[in-house]
Amino acid sequence: SIELIRRARPEGSPFDQPVLAGQYTTDFRHRDAIRWAAHYKVAYVEPQISDLSADTLALTCWSHPDLHRRRALMKAMYTAIFAKGIKMNIEVLLKTAAECEVTRQNVSDALNGGPASSLHENTIKTALTEGVFGVPTFICDDETFWGNDRLPLLTEHLQAVGNAR
């Protein structure tokens, strides 16, 4: 999440300063996202800037206590933003949530300090304690794997651990 990245980089996250070069430039990020989407054979369109903050989107993902509904909501939000190019605003967010059987009350509670807000905060704190500094990060057997491009290394690690047992 953007909040995790901000906290992991107190000197300044790439989201809080002008982008000068590298992987955070808009052009590079756009081309890279297209390549990864093609690799994974998933739809991708450049997302429209949301009317909602990243925190609002993240908290909404935590808004239902049931993992399966949260997963469905996250997938639906991803599809709306990154596959269909829908500009996320509160009406679209609430409609998307309702389609996943997540109520307005669930979302409201999450956005206003309810249990989902605490769960989100505790997850960020735990991640920072574990040394997580970006997304996606995978920790397995005290080994940290950061970035989508490290998935083959994580797979090899899991296979080696499985073979050792």
Side-chain angles (χ1 to χ4, degrees):
S1 81
I2 289 177
E3 184 59 26
L4 179 127
I5 294 168
R6 282 188 175 121
R7 291 191 207 177
R9 293 178 174 86
E11 72 283 0
S13 87
F15 302 105
D16 296 327
Q17 50 195 315
V19 176
L20 302 175
Q23 74 269 32
Y24 296 108
T25 62
T26 302
D27 186 53
F28 180 84
R29 187 192 55 75
H30 175 72
R31 287 186 321 221
D32 200 48
I34 289 170
R35 288 183 198 120
W36 280 113
H39 174 78
Y40 285 114
K41 298 175 179 57
V42 296
Y44 176 82
V45 296
E46 186 66 18
Q48 295 186 46
I49 300 300
S50 174
D51 290 341
L52 306 172
S53 71
D55 288 338
T56 296
L57 297 173
L59 284 168
T60 299
C61 290
W62 290 100
S63 64
H64 198 282
D66 179 71
L67 175 63
H68 298 289
R69 287 209 181 122
R70 285 199 313 255
R71 186 178 295 139
L73 177 56
M74 286 184 265
K75 186 175 180 179
M77 289 171 62
Y78 175 90
T79 299
I81 295 167
F82 293 103
K84 296 179 179 176
I86 295 172
K87 185 174 183 177
M88 192 60 66
N89 59 40
I90 194 65
E91 293 82 22
V92 173
L93 183 71
L94 291 171
K95 181 178 183 275
T96 304
E99 290 168 357
C100 298
E101 299 179 38
V102 176
T103 67
R104 284 178 168 270
Q105 190 62 52
N106 291 135
V107 175
S108 178
D109 288 349
L111 299 179
N112 293 301
S117 179
S118 297
L119 184 57
H120 179 62
E121 178 63 24
N122 290 338
T123 301
I124 291 173
K125 286 180 179 177
T126 299
L128 291 168
T129 300
E130 295 290 326
V132 173
F133 52 85
V135 178
T137 299
F138 306 91
I139 298 175
C140 179
D141 300 322
D142 296 325
E143 295 287 332
T144 301
F145 300 85
W146 176 76
N148 182 57
D149 55 331
R150 303 315 193 283
L151 287 173
L153 302 176
L154 173 60
T155 300
E156 288 175 7
H157 177 78
L158 291 169
Q159 288 169 343
V161 167
N163 291 336
R165 292 185 178 155

